[in-house]
Amino acid sequence: AQTRRDIPSAVDFLEAALSADPDNRNLMRRTFMLTAMEGNIEKALPLANRIVAQAPAAPIANMVLIVAAIRDGKFAAGRERLVALPKDEGMNTFMVPLLGAWILVGLGDMDGALEALKPLNVNKGFKAMFDLHTALINEMAGHSAIAIEAYEKTIEKPGSLSLRLVELLGSLYERT
């Protein structure tokens, strides 16, 4: 089912296999990944917790738990989990600053959030992400002129123009 890209059927199969062998780490990891890929985060959360209990630095399981904490308004819990992760490994190189910034937004620290994004500005590959999230945070903070400038910088970058970005900037133009 997985090779045919029938993710729901693959998840059903893996869940049945996992229920027969609940301590099988490989089955747990595969079930978690496909469940998360399917977008069923509520179903993935218990698996993420089990994975992190066995492998505390598991990046994707931790990210799912952090995003769930942010979604639920549990910013301090999300931050506690986030700061425990290695900052310079794999996807953590961009996810730690990005999620850290949005946790600080949730805590009401807009200046801290902008500061938390700065590591993204160092890596050329993350520059568009830095500019976009700088714009979003400045917009939320009520700094419209700075947000417009950041959106425009993002739009000017080759390959970064998207309909969503144009919608964000157009919406801000309408409100200012």
Side-chain angles (χ1 to χ4, degrees):
Q2 186 176 351
T3 54
R4 289 191 327 265
R5 305 236 189 274
D6 182 0
I7 303 302
S9 294
V11 168
D12 290 343
F13 173 81
L14 288 170
E15 285 177 333
L18 188 59
S19 69
D21 189 2
D23 296 323
N24 186 314
R25 287 182 176 191
N26 185 42
L27 279 174
M28 188 183 325
R29 184 188 54 77
R30 289 180 63 202
T31 306
F32 163 72
M33 292 298 289
L34 289 180
T35 302
M37 270 178 46
E38 188 181 33
N40 193 339
I41 300 305
E42 293 311 312
K43 206 177 198 182
L45 285 172
L47 291 169
N49 278 309
R50 289 178 59 197
I51 289 168
V52 169
Q54 294 175 359
I60 297 172
N62 271 297
M63 293 303 162
V64 166
L65 294 171
I66 292 164
V67 169
I70 294 169
R71 178 201 63 197
D72 296 341
K74 298 176 180 174
F75 302 110
R79 187 173 193 193
E80 185 178 319
R81 182 175 295 281
L82 186 70
V83 298
L85 294 178
K87 290 161 189 43
D88 57 357
E89 292 181 10
M91 70 180 206
N92 290 1
T93 58
F94 67 92
M95 291 302 294
V96 168
L98 187 62
L99 291 176
W102 286 104
I103 287 170
L104 290 169
V105 167
L107 293 169
D109 183 1
M110 299 300 189
D111 291 336
L114 292 168
E115 187 65 31
L117 283 178
K118 285 188 177 176
L120 296 178
N121 198 25
V122 174
N123 185 319
K124 186 177 177 182
F126 301 148
K127 183 77 171 104
M129 190 182 312
F130 170 80
D131 290 336
L132 174 61
H133 288 272
T134 296
L136 290 167
I137 292 168
N138 274 299
E139 184 177 352
M140 288 186 74
H143 305 136
S144 298
I146 298 169
I148 287 170
E149 183 181 319
Y151 280 130
E152 288 173 347
K153 280 171 62 177
T154 305
I155 285 175
E156 291 170 2
K157 294 202 179 352
S160 66
L161 184 61
S162 71
L163 180 57
R164 182 66 183 134
L165 186 55
V166 171
E167 288 175 331
L168 288 167
L169 180 56
S171 177
L172 180 56
Y173 280 148
E174 284 181 344
R175 290 190 308 276
T176 56

